[in-house]
Amino acid sequence: MDTERRIAQADRLAAVVSTGLLALPPAPGLDRLTRLASRLLGVPTTLVSLVTDERQVFASQLGLPQRWADAAQTPLSHSFCQYVVDDDAPLVVTDARDDERLHDNRAIDEIGVIAYAGMPIRLDGQTLGAFCAIDGHPRKWTAAELETLEDLAAAVNSEIALIKAADDAQQAAATMRAVLEASHDAYVSTDARGRVLDWNRSAEALFGWTRDEATGALATELIIPREFRDRYTADIDRVRAGGRSELAGRRMEMPVRHRDGRYFPVEYTVQVTDVGSPVYHAFLHDISARRAAQRQLRRQAELIDAAPAAIIVRGDDGTIRFWNNGAEQMYGWPAAAVAGQNIHQLLHTGFPDGIAEVREVLETAGTWEGELTHRCADGHTITVLSRHARRPAPDGGTEVIETNADITGRLLAQRELQQRNRQLEQANLLKLDLMGMLSHDIGTPLAAITGYSELLGEEPLPEFVLGLIGRIRKSAHRIDELRHNVLAMCSLDSGTLTACRQPVLLAPALREAVEALEADVPVDCPDGLRVLVNPAHLTQIVVNFITNAAKYGGGATAITVRAGDTTVTVSVHDEGPGVPAGLRSRLFDRYTRAHETGGAKGHGLGLHIVASLAGANHGTVTHRDNQPRGSVFELTLESA
């Protein structure tokens, strides 16, 4: 076989690399053998040479020139050992200068190799290189010398095998360590006394103790609750006495203790190795979430059984797989009696458009909902609102979850409700007629009364007549206020209350509202301040506040205005007895009346209407105590 081809064989090259000696530091065992060969054979140079397809690397060497000793390798142009590999046999040379294969090898001139004896180094059936003795002068090797060299080569083989085994074991340990560190499970190993030998990062995270803190400590004191310690120590004693572990190879659960003292459940497995003394290897993971999920599932199962609706799980072919308590109560059949039966045959299901339509919708949309008729165990028929949901089945295929609610009584109630709705619609028409009457039939003559009374009030009439005219005008304004409140309530009830907001100059608008009531209330409002509001709604709210203060607070004492960054707040003050504490939380609710706590009588709609009008204008109304007594009602609007 050609030398280069043998050297380049992939299996052989892999065997050379697998020794680790191409990269490992000098091996003391090999160095002792090269020194021993030099003494026994009386040669200046001995080598342990590993040959690749490009070079020879010296795993151990003695007596090389400094240049080559420092490099610890040569190219194949300087190698005799390559021929030991090529021939897979010893190579013995008295004078390389006379050898047909070696006479032009550069090792003769640059390294001084004249006499050479090399024995194959073998491992796992592959020739890795040569163990060789070199002399700088011609030498005829004796049989005894060659036998000694062969024996030493066998020792080199054994040493390399040991080095490889140690390196393999170290790499395996490093790999195992990396695996354990990357594991999501906590890994804890203990010795025959129960003391911690190893503790990975997941164990640190799970229990709160660092590896350094845990190593050497008793596992029973670190993490095992007191009630479980006897079982653990008894198993250790049994194994230490030569018995077999009862914990090993089983998947178990138990509570463990965290560093902070809390307990939580884990699932764990244990393995025991015994190389001189037993070592326990435990893998643990937190199952708190799983336990919680199990509790949730049990809770859901209980809720399903407690649900008043019938919940049924069936196959696509209608075969009943689950039947809850609600189904038993609704239909009269126990779950054991219906399991495996076809639900449509059992209940004589009546479909609105046939079963084919339901199946088609389930296949395309995954859900179907509608009304069905079912026959119960006692023979009577009920109407149910049924919802079907198609989903993958745990054992493959698909199944349908069917939820049925008895609406037989509800249908009767619906018919009664429809009749009631018709009555309400008629009442609503009457209300709309009332709104029209208030808006036109009452509003028109009321405007005339107000206008004429204002004209008469400007005439030179006797004082007592002017007083009567003023009372007429106030009563007309009061009627108009009530008319607007009723119209607002009707709009609220019909859902048609809207506000067409516009910029309104606030100071004049407030003074006009005060003057319309002929009230003597000072207005403190900065000039030029504008708000976004429906002008009629603004007037109605302020008038209501002033009227409310007159009825319950002895009359309004002031109107003040303060401006914020984007809002403006109008405050109507009074110094009356204030709003009772028990009334404040529902002050702006419908039908809240002050006379409930001894105040003046009212219909309980004014403040509710005010709040609704404010909301329609993107504003709010609030109440707070005045100081030192009384109340302040406030309207907040967006500034314009």
Side-chain angles (χ1 to χ4, degrees):
M1 177 178 290
D2 181 70
T3 301
E4 291 185 358
R5 290 190 58 175
R6 180 180 291 277
I7 288 175
Q9 284 180 339
D11 291 346
R12 193 197 71 81
L13 292 173
V16 173
V17 173
S18 72
T19 65
L21 293 171
L22 297 181
L24 288 175
L30 294 177
D31 290 344
R32 284 193 294 270
L33 290 172
T34 53
R35 291 194 299 269
L36 181 59
S38 177
R39 289 197 303 270
L40 293 177
L41 300 178
V43 293
T45 305
T46 52
L47 305 173
V48 175
S49 175
L50 302 178
V51 181
T52 73
D53 57 346
E54 296 177 344
R55 58 183 175 142
Q56 61 180 2
V57 177
F58 306 130
S60 179
Q61 42 97 1
L62 176 68
L64 284 174
Q66 194 61 45
R67 172 190 171 190
W68 303 107
D70 291 342
Q73 61 179 316
T74 73
L76 292 182
S77 60
H78 295 63
S79 172
F80 287 11
C81 297
Q82 62 179 306
Y83 301 112
V84 176
V85 173
D86 179 48
D87 298 338
D88 191 21
L91 175 63
V92 179
V93 179
T94 299
D95 189 336
R97 293 169 296 186
D98 298 332
D99 189 281
E100 180 181 354
R101 194 162 50 168
L102 301 174
H103 64 85
D104 59 351
N105 192 290
R106 296 172 64 182
I108 297 173
D109 295 330
E110 297 185 24
I111 301 177
V113 181
I114 301 299
Y116 174 91
M119 298 294 170
I121 298 173
R122 296 187 178 95
L123 181 67
D124 298 332
Q126 297 290 343
T127 302
L128 308 182
F131 181 56
C132 60
I134 298 172
D135 203 332
H137 303 282
R139 176 171 183 161
K140 187 173 179 62
W141 304 93
T142 67
E145 289 173 336
L146 295 176
E147 186 177 347
T148 298
L149 185 62
E150 186 176 14
D151 289 342
L152 292 174
V156 169
N157 289 341
S158 298
E159 186 66 22
I160 290 176
L162 289 174
I163 292 171
K164 181 178 184 302
D167 185 54
D168 289 346
Q170 187 175 7
Q171 290 187 24
T175 301
M176 180 58 69
R177 181 75 245 165
V179 169
L180 291 176
E181 286 301 316
S183 172
H184 292 295
D185 281 357
Y187 169 70
V188 178
S189 67
T190 57
D191 62 15
R193 296 177 298 165
R195 296 191 180 277
V196 175
L197 299 174
D198 204 354
W199 185 275
N200 71 349
R201 291 176 186 170
S202 293
E204 290 181 334
L206 188 63
F207 298 110
W209 301 95
T210 66
R211 187 168 184 255
D212 291 341
E213 291 171 329
T215 301
L218 287 171
T220 51
E221 296 180 359
L222 274 184
I223 61 175
I224 301 178
R226 192 173 302 277
E227 61 269 26
F228 289 89
R229 293 177 185 175
D230 290 345
R231 183 175 70 168
Y232 175 69
T233 54
D235 199 75
I236 289 180
D237 293 340
R238 185 183 305 107
V239 173
R240 194 164 49 190
R244 186 173 181 179
S245 170
E246 293 182 356
L247 301 178
R250 298 170 55 193
R251 188 177 296 275
M252 297 166 286
E253 297 179 5
M254 74 171 178
V256 293
R257 187 177 61 193
H258 190 271
R259 180 175 188 163
D260 61 14
R262 61 186 171 86
Y263 288 84
F264 59 94
V266 297
E267 182 180 73
Y268 69 101
T269 57
V270 173
Q271 297 296 334
V272 180
T273 58
D274 193 350
V275 182
S277 63
V279 176
Y280 278 70
H281 308 271
F283 293 86
L284 314 92
H285 60 269
D286 188 351
I287 58 171
S288 300
R290 189 173 78 189
R291 288 277 184 88
Q294 290 171 344
R295 290 193 296 270
Q296 180 66 13
L297 286 175
R298 287 195 296 270
R299 175 63 177 159
Q300 290 173 351
E302 292 170 356
L303 290 174
I304 288 173
D305 260 347
I311 301 176
I312 303 160
V313 179
R314 60 175 177 82
D316 277 335
D317 60 355
T319 302
I320 297 172
R321 299 177 179 177
F322 174 80
W323 181 274
N324 76 331
N325 286 339
E328 291 186 358
Q329 296 170 9
M330 183 179 294
Y331 298 113
W333 281 289
V338 301
Q341 294 196 49
N342 184 285
I343 187 171
H344 305 312
Q345 295 176 2
L346 176 72
L347 301 179
H348 297 271
T349 306
F351 295 92
D353 298 309
I355 190 172
E357 187 269 343
V358 175
R359 287 174 175 167
E360 181 180 353
V361 172
L362 278 176
E363 288 178 1
T364 55
T367 60
W368 176 88
E369 186 170 336
E371 293 182 8
L372 303 174
T373 58
H374 284 155
R375 186 184 299 174
C376 299
D378 61 5
H380 79 280
T381 299
I382 61 174
T383 301
V384 299
L385 180 61
S386 186
R387 187 178 190 278
H388 300 180
R390 198 165 183 253
R391 68 169 190 179
D395 56 352
T398 57
E399 62 186 12
V400 176
I401 300 177
E402 183 174 325
T403 305
N404 298 327
D406 186 356
I407 60 171
T408 308
R410 190 188 309 173
L411 293 176
L412 178 60
Q414 284 177 351
R415 286 193 288 270
E416 294 176 352
L417 182 60
Q418 290 172 355
Q419 182 179 359
R420 178 60 177 163
N421 285 341
R422 286 192 293 271
Q423 295 173 348
L424 291 176
E425 289 173 358
Q426 294 174 354
N428 190 54
L429 292 174
L430 180 61
K431 181 178 71 174
L432 293 176
D433 292 341
L434 175 62
M435 288 177 63
M437 182 183 69
L438 287 172
S439 177
H440 182 269
D441 294 350
I442 294 179
T444 300
L446 187 61
I449 293 172
T450 303
Y452 286 129
S453 64
E454 289 176 352
L455 289 174
L456 289 173
E458 297 173 358
E459 295 296 322
L461 299 173
E463 192 67 30
F464 79 95
V465 175
L466 292 175
L468 294 174
I469 293 172
R471 292 177 65 180
I472 291 171
R473 188 166 56 249
K474 285 183 179 180
S475 296
H477 283 306
R478 177 57 179 159
I479 293 171
D480 194 47
E481 176 193 347
L482 293 174
R483 181 176 72 90
H484 279 95
N485 283 347
V486 171
L487 289 172
M489 280 305 304
C490 291
S491 297
L492 282 175
D493 289 343
S494 63
T496 60
L497 179 62
T498 57
C500 181
R501 298 190 301 162
Q502 62 187 63
V504 173
L505 197 59
L506 188 56
L510 294 177
R511 292 189 182 96
E512 288 177 6
V514 171
E515 292 172 359
L517 291 174
E518 298 183 357
D520 185 15
V521 182
V523 176
D524 181 8
C525 177
D527 292 336
L529 199 61
R530 295 176 182 271
V531 292
L532 283 175
V533 69
N534 182 308
H537 290 171
L538 174 63
T539 300
Q540 189 173 353
I541 293 172
V542 175
V543 167
N544 199 304
F545 277 169
I546 296 173
T547 304
N548 202 59
K551 291 167 60 177
Y552 303 108
T557 58
I559 296 177
T560 61
V561 177
R562 67 178 185 275
D565 292 338
T566 59
T567 60
V568 174
T569 300
V570 178
S571 302
V572 177
H573 305 250
D574 70 59
E575 296 179 359
V579 177
L583 201 63
R584 293 179 183 180
S585 63
R586 49 193 178 91
L587 188 60
F588 295 97
D589 292 348
R590 183 184 293 201
Y591 303 129
T592 298
R593 295 188 292 263
H595 74 78
E596 296 174 0
T597 54
K601 292 184 178 181
H603 49 64
L605 293 174
L607 291 181
H608 175 66
I609 293 171
V610 161
S612 302
L613 291 173
N617 286 273
H618 301 183
T620 59
V621 291
T622 56
H623 161 269
R624 61 181 172 86
D625 288 337
N626 202 2
Q627 298 298 330
R629 67 189 302 270
S631 297
V632 180
F633 285 85
E634 295 182 326
L635 165 67
T636 300
L637 298 168
E638 293 181 6
S639 55

